[in-house]
Amino acid sequence: MAEVRSFQHQYINGEWVESTNAPKTLDVINSNTAQVIATVPDGSKKDAEKAILAARAAFASWSTTPLVARKEYIKKFMEAHKRRRAETIGWLTKELGCTAALAESLQANFVEMHGTTLLGAIDGVNWYEAVGKVTVVKEPVGVIGAITPWNYPLNQIALKVIPALLAGCTVVLKPSKVTPCCAIIVAEAMHEAGVPPGVFNMVVGHECGEVLSSHPEVDLVSFTGSARAGRQISAAAAQSLKQVRTELGGKSAAILLDDADLQTVVPQFVAQLMNNSGQSCNALSRMIVPESKYNEVIDIAKRVAENTVVGRSDDPKADIGPLVSQVQWDQVQSFMQKGMDEGARLITGGPGKPAGLEGGFFAKPTILADVSNQMTIAREEIFGPVLSIIPYSSEAEAIDVANDTIYGLNNAVASSSMKRCIQVGSKLRSGMVMINGTYMDWEAPFGGYKQSGNAREWGLAGLDEFLVTKTINVTAKDYEEAMCPAASPKHVNLNTALLDLVVACNTSGPGGAGL
């Protein structure tokens, strides 16, 4: 019997405190074995309210802390988190169920990757600038409620917490109850870094998200998760008219044009879907294929799926691990069966668990062909290793099929002609389009159209999510002289480097130079 780790405290106002809901707890499950491996607090509304009030009390001081100082706190936090890397990988392979290889190469590194990217770019931000005869200033939004998912837990924590703190906001984090242990490590690293009390808070529990969404002292909710939950959060937030930034689901399509290099792009697109066991919001879960290439594409996709090794997280031969939970496994099985019931042709995989992997939440890499875009599997986000292949007869039809969805997060286009790729990509209603591959840049915005949400994360776009503009009807020269009296005349040009202004002003946020 594996040891069950007990985490008993919430992180509020710089301290580890017992939940007011104690002794109620939530079980954390090992996705490989379906066994309980930890318990965490099932936090109460009162826990969340305490954290919010702590964040509100800390905001005035933190928002006027110089950017150079905020950057140093983030650097110390990243260093402290990196020292916990082995422990982080251990929890990711259990509570999420990703392979050790994926945890080591990607999942465990998101804090450092996104943090380093933003720290490297933030000195180029113009925190105030002349617009006509007035000055426009960028200031922190305020108290942020950050609600994060289980599929890329550290990625979403990093994309919300790091830019929010650098912007001068204070944060209450509510991580997924499915993957809370790696989030607890984040809070431990924040504490070790000496981040001032109330600047960063974390609460776990069923009731906490609702409070963050509705509480009048929360200025903005940043949420990543399902469209259903996004609608609920938006409705709750509407009572106080607070801002809501959502990064939701997707039903992304890969359009293969008739001159695409199929042997190269089909394996890449199928692998992108299978990665993280299909549990990615930007997964290319629909493949739209010209009728003339249909059987060839099916054969290639079948080969890739059958060569995708499913195994336990500690199996070095495994390409993908289990799904995250029983609920998720049941959902994926239901979608597979629904697809076949509606007329899709099973090429490989299908319902059930791979041989020898009956203990955890393992699913077979599955290819379904002869799919119409009106079938459930072509319209709903399956969130598992399941590809739907859809034939088309004209380029216009392919574009229509790709766009015929409530979602609009990601799409892909493949052709030997870059011109054709770009022209087709420009007609796709999605926040991102991949061309002849699946490369993504850490500095570029990540986000979607339609019911995929309204957020733009990654890089400086992610920083802008937590800033608001203020127009002051004075000249930039007058503003700078008041806020940065030590600045030399050359600094009147507000497009000069931020670092020069930091040295000159050494102030920050409201009541400072916005630096």
Side-chain angles (χ1 to χ4, degrees):
M1 184 73 176
E3 176 189 359
V4 177
R5 181 83 178 271
S6 175
F7 296 97
Q8 300 179 345
H9 298 91
Q10 310 277 37
Y11 189 71
I12 301 173
N13 203 30
E15 297 181 333
W16 292 99
V17 298
E18 188 173 78
S19 170
T20 58
N21 220 20
K24 291 184 179 180
T25 60
L26 299 169
D27 289 340
V28 181
I29 307 297
N30 186 330
S31 302
N32 297 274
T33 64
Q35 301 298 310
V36 176
I37 52 171
T39 61
V40 296
D42 185 6
S44 66
K45 291 182 179 180
K46 190 172 182 180
D47 291 348
E49 289 167 354
K50 285 183 176 181
I52 291 166
L53 294 179
R56 173 57 64 197
F59 175 69
S61 175
W62 182 250
S63 63
T64 56
T65 298
L67 176 64
V68 286
R70 296 200 297 260
K71 287 168 60 177
E72 285 305 309
Y73 280 117
I74 294 300
K75 289 176 184 177
K76 289 178 181 177
F77 156 65
M78 289 165 54
E79 291 166 0
H81 188 264
K82 192 172 183 178
R83 287 193 289 272
R84 292 163 166 80
R85 189 169 185 273
E87 184 183 2
T88 298
I89 291 171
W91 282 116
L92 285 167
T93 57
K94 295 181 181 70
E95 60 182 354
L96 174 58
C98 67
T99 64
L102 184 64
E104 291 172 1
S105 64
L106 192 65
Q107 291 275 9
N109 299 326
F110 279 125
V111 166
E112 288 71 39
M113 290 186 332
H114 287 301
T116 300
T117 297
L118 188 52
L119 287 171
I122 198 169
D123 285 345
V125 173
N126 292 323
W127 295 87
Y128 59 95
E129 61 181 342
V131 177
K133 296 180 180 180
V134 302
T135 304
V136 177
V137 182
K138 292 182 179 180
E139 296 183 342
V141 170
V143 174
I144 307 301
I147 305 174
T148 57
W150 51 260
N151 62 325
Y152 288 94
L154 291 177
N155 185 64
Q156 298 311 124
I157 289 173
L159 288 170
K160 299 181 192 309
V161 172
I162 292 175
L165 295 186
L166 286 173
C169 299
T170 54
V171 174
V172 179
L173 169 65
K174 204 291 287 186
S176 168
K177 65 181 184 295
V178 179
T179 55
C181 299
C182 59
I184 289 171
I185 294 174
V186 168
E188 291 174 347
M190 282 285 179
H191 189 75
E192 182 182 323
V195 174
V199 170
F200 170 84
N201 309 270
M202 190 184 81
V203 290
V204 182
H206 281 104
E207 299 179 345
C208 297
E210 178 187 347
V211 179
L212 289 177
S213 303
S214 60
H215 201 287
E217 291 293 342
V218 174
D219 297 294
L220 182 149
V221 175
S222 179
F223 169 74
T224 301
S226 70
R228 177 189 56 80
R231 287 189 285 268
Q232 293 174 342
I233 287 169
S234 297
Q239 299 304 309
S240 57
L241 295 179
K242 64 170 55 67
Q243 297 184 57
V244 180
R245 295 286 182 266
T246 54
E247 203 280 281
L248 308 174
K251 195 63 188 176
S252 305
I255 296 178
L256 308 181
L257 299 182
D258 53 15
D259 61 347
D261 180 355
L262 302 179
Q263 295 293 338
T264 298
V265 298
V266 173
Q268 290 184 48
F269 291 158
V270 175
Q272 190 266 3
L273 163 67
M274 298 294 172
N275 186 44
N276 206 40
S277 302
Q279 300 168 132
S280 302
C281 56
N282 66 337
L284 298 169
S285 58
R286 293 181 295 157
M287 187 168 285
I288 303 174
V289 180
E291 292 172 348
S292 62
K293 305 288 185 178
Y294 193 60
N295 290 331
E296 183 181 358
V297 168
I298 289 173
D299 289 343
I300 299 170
K302 178 177 184 289
R303 183 180 71 244
V304 175
E306 291 179 347
N307 287 333
T308 301
V309 178
V310 184
R312 292 183 175 83
S313 297
D314 58 358
D315 182 352
K317 297 179 181 179
D319 297 308
I320 62 175
L323 299 176
V324 75
S325 66
Q326 184 69 54
V327 170
Q328 191 65 22
W329 189 87
D330 289 342
Q331 175 175 292
V332 171
Q333 301 303 302
S334 175
F335 276 123
M336 289 181 188
Q337 189 60 54
K338 183 77 169 176
M340 292 185 290
D341 291 345
E342 292 182 355
R345 174 164 53 105
L346 178 64
I347 301 300
T348 190
K353 296 180 180 180
L357 295 172
E358 289 78 16
F361 309 125
F362 299 91
K364 300 173 187 176
T366 297
I367 306 295
L368 293 167
D370 302 347
V371 176
S372 82
N373 208 49
Q374 302 312 308
M375 290 181 182
T376 303
I377 55 171
R379 307 204 71 78
E380 299 290 336
E381 186 177 36
I382 298 174
F383 232 55
V386 182
L387 175 65
S388 298
I389 301 182
I390 303 170
Y392 72 86
S393 58
S394 70
E395 186 176 293
E397 181 189 0
I399 294 168
D400 287 344
V401 170
N403 286 335
D404 182 19
T405 172
I406 63 171
Y407 298 108
L409 183 56
N410 185 36
N411 282 302
V413 184
S415 168
S416 60
S417 167
M418 183 61 69
K419 180 179 179 180
R420 288 187 72 193
C421 282
I422 294 172
Q423 288 176 341
V424 170
S426 69
K427 298 174 183 177
L428 298 178
R429 295 282 296 162
S430 58
M432 299 173 288
V433 178
M434 296 173 163
I435 303 294
N436 285 332
T438 58
Y439 172 76
M440 302 175 72
D441 196 298
W442 303 113
E443 296 184 52
F446 184 107
Y449 292 4
K450 300 187 282 186
Q451 292 189 36
S452 286
N454 59 7
R456 289 296 181 271
E457 299 182 321
W458 298 30
L460 290 179
L463 180 72
D464 282 341
E465 296 286 274
F466 304 105
L467 295 171
V468 63
T469 60
K470 175 188 287 183
T471 299
I472 305 177
N473 67 337
V474 299
T475 67
K477 182 175 183 295
D478 286 341
Y479 180 82
E480 187 167 84
E481 287 178 353
M483 305 309 295
C484 301
S488 65
K490 70 177 182 179
H491 289 132
V492 172
N493 178 357
L494 296 177
N495 290 318
T496 54
L498 174 64
L499 185 58
D500 291 339
L501 291 173
V502 169
V503 172
C505 306
N506 197 33
T507 57
S508 172
L515 302 178

